[in-house]
Amino acid sequence: LRATYSYANIGKVSYAQEDKYINLWVALESLCRTDMYENIISNVLETVPPALCSRYIYRCFRNFAEDCLRCNIVFDLTTRIVNLRHPDKEKVVRDIIAVLKDEQLYQEVLENCRVNNLLFERCKEMKELATNPEVMFAKIENHYENVKRQISRLYRIRNEIAHSALNDAVSL
């Protein structure tokens, strides 16, 4: 952990973007270093995606709650009130899931979300996520693959910087 913090701090204070990038990548490699895999990139590719997927669905619902707050949506429904500003965010997520599983309350929330087309569509997506396990698992698997692809892409950029000093034609 000491090496991870050290390289992360060096990366933060570096002037050149390439230096920042390389140092932050080295910090990530330091954090993921294990003896389970034979090379550095495998350590990163096999540990980071599962870590980022562990609470992915929770974060989706948290983000939906924040989107509702930004659009001034209140969950003062006929039979239930959900305080989106409650300090216990896990309670907020549990309450939102319960509302989305109740068809009558869901229709009220959906109607409230009509103030913003994107939020309206997001509400329908969250309903599917809350009520359909196949959709939920597919979303996690899709996120896992996206994270893995992005890490591979970032590793290629790291190699460009490390092996060819990343010329000005390539933008970070």
Side-chain angles (χ1 to χ4, degrees):
L1 284 178
R2 199 175 321 209
T4 299
Y5 286 123
S6 178
Y7 280 106
N9 287 332
I10 292 169
K12 285 181 184 178
V13 299
S14 296
Y15 176 74
Q17 289 289 49
E18 293 84 1
D19 293 339
K20 285 180 183 283
Y21 190 87
I22 289 294
N23 282 302
L24 290 174
W25 184 268
V26 171
L28 179 63
E29 286 179 352
S30 297
L31 183 64
C32 297
R33 173 69 90 200
T34 67
D35 293 330
M36 285 183 60
Y37 306 102
E38 60 191 51
N39 56 42
I40 294 170
I41 188 58
S42 293
N43 280 308
V44 176
L45 281 174
E46 298 302 323
T47 57
V48 173
L52 292 178
C53 288
S54 66
R55 288 179 53 102
Y56 178 62
I57 298 301
Y58 167 80
R59 288 192 315 269
C60 288
F61 283 102
R62 276 287 313 277
N63 187 264
F64 176 66
E66 296 299 321
D67 288 344
C68 289
L69 283 172
R70 282 187 282 277
C71 292
N72 298 315
I73 304 295
V74 271
F75 277 58
D76 290 342
L77 310 169
T78 54
T79 60
R80 186 175 195 149
I81 295 173
V82 177
N83 178 7
L84 297 177
R85 297 186 191 282
H86 194 281
D88 182 355
K89 298 305 179 189
E90 289 186 16
K91 177 183 178 355
V92 173
V93 167
R94 282 192 306 273
D95 290 348
I96 288 174
I97 291 171
V99 164
L100 294 176
K101 286 182 173 182
D102 181 301
E103 194 56 41
Q104 178 188 348
L105 297 177
Y106 164 67
Q107 290 302 324
E108 289 181 50
V109 170
L110 190 62
E111 191 58 37
N112 290 344
C113 290
R114 284 191 184 276
V115 299
N116 182 295
N117 289 336
L118 293 175
L119 186 63
F120 180 74
E121 293 303 319
R122 186 79 190 282
C123 184
K124 292 192 286 190
E125 180 185 333
M126 292 294 101
K127 162 75 168 169
E128 277 296 305
L129 204 56
T131 59
N132 189 334
E134 289 85 21
V135 169
M136 180 179 55
F137 287 120
K139 188 156 181 81
I140 293 170
E141 288 170 359
N142 187 41
H143 182 64
Y144 179 90
E145 289 303 318
N146 284 338
V147 169
K148 203 165 185 169
R149 257 187 251 113
Q150 291 297 336
I151 290 172
S152 296
R153 183 182 65 80
L154 294 170
Y155 185 68
R156 285 190 299 276
I157 293 171
R158 172 248 181 238
N159 285 343
E160 276 188 60
I161 295 169
H163 300 295
S164 63
L166 188 69
N167 60 38
D168 290 335
V170 179
S171 171
L172 275 181

